[in-house]
Amino acid sequence: MTKILIATEKPFAPVAVKKISKIFKKEGYELRVLEKYKSKQELLDAILDVDAAIIRSDKIDEEVLNAAKNLKIVVRAGAGYDNVDLKAATTNNVVVMNTPGQNSNAVAELAIGMAIFGMREMFSGKPGSELRGRTLGLHGFGFVARNVFRIARALGMKVIVYTRYSKHAAAAIGLKVTNSLEQLYEKSDIVSIHVPARGEHIKSVSYEVLKHLRDGSIIINTARKEVINEPDLVKIMEENQGIKYMSDVKPDCETEFAEKFKGRYFFTPKKAGAQTAEANLNAGVAAAEQIVGFLEKGDATYQVNG
Ligand code: 3PG
């Protein structure tokens, strides 16, 4: 019997697990659910004999892949797959997929929520500012950024973007594409980062870029902490007391932030961008359907390893 594992240290909403179970039941597959696990050993034990796994930000490294003797496919229910060792997966003949776009509206709504929270001085009672008429700079133009654009436009914001790979898509909908990342940071009141933690994006938000920020501007990071050069971020926040940083993940230098930048930052306690029932349902169901498609018909759409 085909065995599937849902391994989610941060569980899906129950409604998503229910729908995923239905999909696998229809195929006659057996489903095992490992949620809120505390140790890697629990994951190693659970993945040992399964044919497929659905994960979120769960770490699938070489040790896990070597232990999973029957594993044929891992689907990351979400966008970023920096938590999976793609090389080790390929060596072990395991297909890795993600579910692009499925949780992007949830992340976009969080980014906009953070923009409002930051502009309103974190609801402290101090006079803040409105989003209408302000310039929002999108660093990257993937699924999340496109949703942020849709919402920001409805709020009356001016939106500009820096993208290398989606210039035509951005220009086609009337978005102004800046010539450089530096220009984007210079012209924005709020910068929202939407690039993956891969390749040239790692530490791409460096001092050379940050030094162009306007006084009073806000950086929103619902992507990954790895895309920011943290010592450079600290440096610019020391130099420019008006800058705020709002992030869906704590930086490694959280203690330094607490000591130096009180009232100028906000970090979610646990990655919350995709934590909605809708996002879990969309991404979880897509992951389940992709597994069925692959196991039954060899459909490898959305494969991210070679
Ligand atoms: C993603 O890459 O899809 C988001 O960061 C969501 O991650 P999560 O599934 O761990 O909430």
Side-chain angles (χ1 to χ4, degrees):
M1 189 189 237
T2 303
K3 293 191 181 92
I4 316 286
L5 171 70
I6 297 180
T8 46
E9 183 274 320
K10 186 173 60 185
F12 287 130
V15 65
V17 179
K18 214 167 147 187
K19 190 87 190 277
I20 295 168
S21 319
K22 259 192 184 164
I23 293 170
F24 292 138
K25 203 170 166 192
K26 199 169 147 229
E27 298 298 324
Y29 298 173
E30 183 188 311
L31 178 65
R32 187 177 297 163
V33 182
L34 175 70
E35 293 177 331
K36 292 186 190 169
Y37 56 94
K38 300 271 180 278
S39 70
K40 187 176 183 182
Q41 193 56 49
E42 289 176 76
L43 175 61
L44 289 169
D45 293 343
I47 208 162
L48 199 67
D49 60 346
V50 299
D51 297 279
I54 296 178
I55 54 156
R56 295 185 66 179
S57 290
D58 306 80
K59 212 167 170 46
I60 305 297
D61 61 13
E62 198 175 0
E63 188 186 5
V64 175
L65 287 156
N66 288 344
K69 296 288 177 223
N70 291 339
L71 196 65
K72 294 158 191 72
I73 173 168
V74 174
V75 183
R76 193 279 190 244
Y81 44 87
D82 44 306
N83 48 320
V84 182
D85 185 333
L86 297 186
K87 230 175 166 182
T90 305
T91 308
N92 281 278
N93 285 322
V94 174
V95 165
V96 181
M97 293 185 188
N98 66 346
T99 64
Q102 299 291 347
N103 60 18
S104 51
N105 183 64
V107 182
E109 287 189 11
L110 180 72
I112 293 287
M114 284 178 162
I116 295 173
F117 192 50
M119 290 291 269
R120 288 298 182 97
E121 296 297 338
M122 309 196 196
F123 305 153
S124 62
K126 279 195 229 157
S129 307
E130 301 178 20
L131 296 186
R132 188 171 57 174
R134 295 288 178 156
T135 300
L136 172 71
L138 297 173
H139 178 170
F141 198 55
F143 287 104
V144 178
R146 289 168 206 213
N147 277 287
V148 173
F149 166 59
R150 173 179 50 79
I151 303 166
R153 195 174 46 174
L155 289 167
M157 299 187 82
K158 291 178 204 150
V159 186
I160 57 175
V161 63
Y162 177 71
T163 169
R164 276 193 205 173
Y165 307 105
S166 309
K167 277 186 188 161
H168 294 299
I173 52 172
L175 249 175
K176 186 180 165 15
V177 183
T178 62
N179 293 328
S180 65
L181 197 52
E182 287 78 3
Q183 210 179 70
L184 183 90
Y185 278 64
E186 186 186 305
K187 292 186 180 306
S188 302
D189 297 301
I190 298 169
V191 175
S192 195
I193 303 171
H194 302 289
V195 288
R198 288 198 297 276
E200 84 265 21
H201 300 301
I202 305 278
K203 294 194 187 344
S204 60
V205 184
S206 64
Y207 186 76
E208 283 313 300
V209 172
L210 291 165
K211 72 177 184 198
H212 295 276
L213 280 171
R214 295 175 174 180
D215 190 28
S217 57
I218 299 175
I219 311 163
I220 296 168
N221 183 3
T222 52
R224 294 287 186 272
K225 65 176 186 220
E226 287 80 4
V227 301
I228 289 210
N229 180 318
E230 290 186 8
D232 286 4
L233 177 65
V234 168
K235 187 172 173 205
I236 198 72
M237 287 187 65
E238 280 170 344
E239 283 175 15
N240 187 335
Q241 303 283 321
I243 293 171
K244 291 198 192 83
Y245 181 61
M246 325 284 288
S247 175
D248 187 22
V249 63
K250 290 174 191 168
D252 292 332
C253 59
E254 188 193 0
T255 325
E256 208 172 346
F257 262 74
E259 283 162 9
K260 295 180 175 167
F261 307 130
K262 203 170 173 290
R264 295 173 55 203
Y265 68 92
F266 172 76
F267 308 135
T268 50
K270 197 163 189 140
K271 189 142 65 95
Q275 276 300 69
T276 67
E278 295 88 340
N280 291 173
L281 203 52
N282 292 343
V285 167
E289 285 171 348
Q290 286 171 218
I291 286 175
V292 173
F294 178 74
L295 293 180
E296 299 303 321
K297 298 183 203 131
D299 182 353
T301 313
Y302 304 124
Q303 180 171 358
V304 293
N305 64 331

